[in-house]
PDB file of all heavy atoms in Angstrom:
ATOM      1  N   LEU L 292      11.788  -0.697   9.280  1.00  0.00           N
ATOM      2  CA  LEU L 292      12.147  -2.106   9.416  1.00  0.00           C
ATOM      3  C   LEU L 292      12.049  -2.544  10.869  1.00  0.00           C
ATOM      4  O   LEU L 292      11.542  -3.630  11.169  1.00  0.00           O
ATOM      5  CB  LEU L 292      13.566  -2.347   8.894  1.00  0.00           C
ATOM      6  CG  LEU L 292      13.828  -2.025   7.423  1.00  0.00           C
ATOM      7  CD1 LEU L 292      15.266  -2.382   7.051  1.00  0.00           C
ATOM      8  CD2 LEU L 292      12.846  -2.749   6.513  1.00  0.00           C
ATOM      9  N   VAL L 293      12.526  -1.701  11.768  1.00  0.00           N
ATOM     10  CA  VAL L 293      12.459  -2.024  13.192  1.00  0.00           C
ATOM     11  C   VAL L 293      11.010  -2.116  13.660  1.00  0.00           C
ATOM     12  O   VAL L 293      10.627  -3.034  14.390  1.00  0.00           O
ATOM     13  CB  VAL L 293      13.224  -0.966  14.011  1.00  0.00           C
ATOM     14  CG1 VAL L 293      12.985  -1.161  15.511  1.00  0.00           C
ATOM     15  CG2 VAL L 293      14.715  -1.034  13.696  1.00  0.00           C
ATOM     16  N   MET L 296       8.877  -4.855  10.468  1.00  0.00           N
ATOM     17  CA  MET L 296       9.331  -5.985   9.681  1.00  0.00           C
ATOM     18  C   MET L 296       9.836  -7.156  10.506  1.00  0.00           C
ATOM     19  O   MET L 296      10.701  -7.925  10.077  1.00  0.00           O
ATOM     20  CB  MET L 296      10.386  -5.546   8.669  1.00  0.00           C
ATOM     21  CG  MET L 296      10.368  -6.410   7.414  1.00  0.00           C
ATOM     22  SD  MET L 296      11.559  -5.841   6.192  1.00  0.00           S
ATOM     23  CE  MET L 296      11.564  -7.270   5.107  1.00  0.00           C
ATOM     24  N   GLY L 297       9.287  -7.317  11.688  1.00  0.00           N
ATOM     25  CA  GLY L 297       9.515  -8.525  12.468  1.00  0.00           C
ATOM     26  C   GLY L 297      10.970  -8.856  12.697  1.00  0.00           C
ATOM     27  O   GLY L 297      11.743  -8.045  13.214  1.00  0.00           O
ATOM     28  N   VAL L 298      11.356 -10.069  12.295  1.00  0.00           N
ATOM     29  CA  VAL L 298      12.694 -10.564  12.598  1.00  0.00           C
ATOM     30  C   VAL L 298      13.779  -9.741  11.918  1.00  0.00           C
ATOM     31  O   VAL L 298      14.897  -9.633  12.429  1.00  0.00           O
ATOM     32  CB  VAL L 298      12.820 -12.059  12.217  1.00  0.00           C
ATOM     33  CG1 VAL L 298      12.801 -12.237  10.707  1.00  0.00           C
ATOM     34  CG2 VAL L 298      14.081 -12.674  12.817  1.00  0.00           C
ATOM     35  N   VAL L 299      13.475  -9.142  10.778  1.00  0.00           N
ATOM     36  CA  VAL L 299      14.464  -8.263  10.145  1.00  0.00           C
ATOM     37  C   VAL L 299      14.769  -7.083  11.062  1.00  0.00           C
ATOM     38  O   VAL L 299      15.922  -6.691  11.249  1.00  0.00           O
ATOM     39  CB  VAL L 299      13.957  -7.764   8.775  1.00  0.00           C
ATOM     40  CG1 VAL L 299      14.900  -6.717   8.190  1.00  0.00           C
ATOM     41  CG2 VAL L 299      13.808  -8.930   7.817  1.00  0.00           C
ATOM     42  N   GLY L 300      13.732  -6.536  11.664  1.00  0.00           N
ATOM     43  CA  GLY L 300      13.914  -5.418  12.580  1.00  0.00           C
ATOM     44  C   GLY L 300      14.644  -5.810  13.846  1.00  0.00           C
ATOM     45  O   GLY L 300      15.543  -5.090  14.305  1.00  0.00           O
ATOM     46  N   THR L 301      14.272  -6.946  14.425  1.00  0.00           N
ATOM     47  CA  THR L 301      14.945  -7.373  15.652  1.00  0.00           C
ATOM     48  C   THR L 301      16.402  -7.724  15.387  1.00  0.00           C
ATOM     49  O   THR L 301      17.284  -7.436  16.205  1.00  0.00           O
ATOM     50  CB  THR L 301      14.223  -8.570  16.293  1.00  0.00           C
ATOM     51  OG1 THR L 301      14.127  -9.646  15.344  1.00  0.00           O
ATOM     52  CG2 THR L 301      12.825  -8.187  16.754  1.00  0.00           C
ATOM     53  N   SER L 302      16.686  -8.321  14.237  1.00  0.00           N
ATOM     54  CA  SER L 302      18.072  -8.638  13.887  1.00  0.00           C
ATOM     55  C   SER L 302      18.891  -7.368  13.679  1.00  0.00           C
ATOM     56  O   SER L 302      20.066  -7.297  14.056  1.00  0.00           O
ATOM     57  CB  SER L 302      18.107  -9.496  12.611  1.00  0.00           C
ATOM     58  OG  SER L 302      17.467 -10.737  12.815  1.00  0.00           O
ATOM     59  N   PHE L 303      18.248  -6.358  13.080  1.00  0.00           N
ATOM     60  CA  PHE L 303      18.940  -5.090  12.851  1.00  0.00           C
ATOM     61  C   PHE L 303      19.299  -4.418  14.176  1.00  0.00           C
ATOM     62  O   PHE L 303      20.416  -3.930  14.362  1.00  0.00           O
ATOM     63  CB  PHE L 303      18.061  -4.175  12.006  1.00  0.00           C
ATOM     64  CG  PHE L 303      18.623  -2.807  11.783  1.00  0.00           C
ATOM     65  CD1 PHE L 303      19.783  -2.626  11.048  1.00  0.00           C
ATOM     66  CD2 PHE L 303      17.991  -1.688  12.314  1.00  0.00           C
ATOM     67  CE1 PHE L 303      20.318  -1.361  10.851  1.00  0.00           C
ATOM     68  CE2 PHE L 303      18.515  -0.416  12.120  1.00  0.00           C
ATOM     69  CZ  PHE L 303      19.681  -0.255  11.384  1.00  0.00           C
ATOM     70  N   THR L 304      18.349  -4.392  15.120  1.00  0.00           N
ATOM     71  CA  THR L 304      18.642  -3.771  16.405  1.00  0.00           C
ATOM     72  C   THR L 304      19.689  -4.573  17.174  1.00  0.00           C
ATOM     73  O   THR L 304      20.515  -4.002  17.896  1.00  0.00           O
ATOM     74  CB  THR L 304      17.363  -3.641  17.255  1.00  0.00           C
ATOM     75  OG1 THR L 304      16.724  -4.920  17.379  1.00  0.00           O
ATOM     76  CG2 THR L 304      16.381  -2.665  16.605  1.00  0.00           C
ATOM     77  N   TRP L 305      19.676  -5.897  17.005  1.00  0.00           N
ATOM     78  CA  TRP L 305      20.696  -6.744  17.641  1.00  0.00           C
ATOM     79  C   TRP L 305      22.079  -6.432  17.072  1.00  0.00           C
ATOM     80  O   TRP L 305      23.061  -6.321  17.799  1.00  0.00           O
ATOM     81  CB  TRP L 305      20.330  -8.212  17.414  1.00  0.00           C
ATOM     82  CG  TRP L 305      21.225  -9.207  18.091  1.00  0.00           C
ATOM     83  CD1 TRP L 305      21.960  -9.030  19.246  1.00  0.00           C
ATOM     84  CD2 TRP L 305      21.457 -10.547  17.686  1.00  0.00           C
ATOM     85  NE1 TRP L 305      22.630 -10.169  19.578  1.00  0.00           N
ATOM     86  CE2 TRP L 305      22.339 -11.129  18.627  1.00  0.00           C
ATOM     87  CE3 TRP L 305      20.999 -11.317  16.617  1.00  0.00           C
ATOM     88  CZ2 TRP L 305      22.786 -12.444  18.526  1.00  0.00           C
ATOM     89  CZ3 TRP L 305      21.438 -12.628  16.524  1.00  0.00           C
ATOM     90  CH2 TRP L 305      22.316 -13.184  17.459  1.00  0.00           C
ATOM     91  N   GLU L 306      22.130  -6.258  15.735  1.00  0.00           N
ATOM     92  CA  GLU L 306      23.398  -5.911  15.089  1.00  0.00           C
ATOM     93  C   GLU L 306      23.913  -4.577  15.605  1.00  0.00           C
ATOM     94  O   GLU L 306      25.126  -4.421  15.870  1.00  0.00           O
ATOM     95  CB  GLU L 306      23.211  -5.847  13.575  1.00  0.00           C
ATOM     96  CG  GLU L 306      24.475  -5.488  12.813  1.00  0.00           C
ATOM     97  CD  GLU L 306      24.228  -5.360  11.317  1.00  0.00           C
ATOM     98  OE1 GLU L 306      23.076  -5.512  10.880  1.00  0.00           O
ATOM     99  OE2 GLU L 306      25.207  -5.100  10.601  1.00  0.00           O
TER     100      GLU L 306
END
Side-chain angles (χ1 to χ4, degrees):
L292 299 183
V293 171
M296 210 177 166
V298 70
V299 173
T301 56
S302 297
F303 176 66
T304 54
W305 184 28
E306 180 183 2

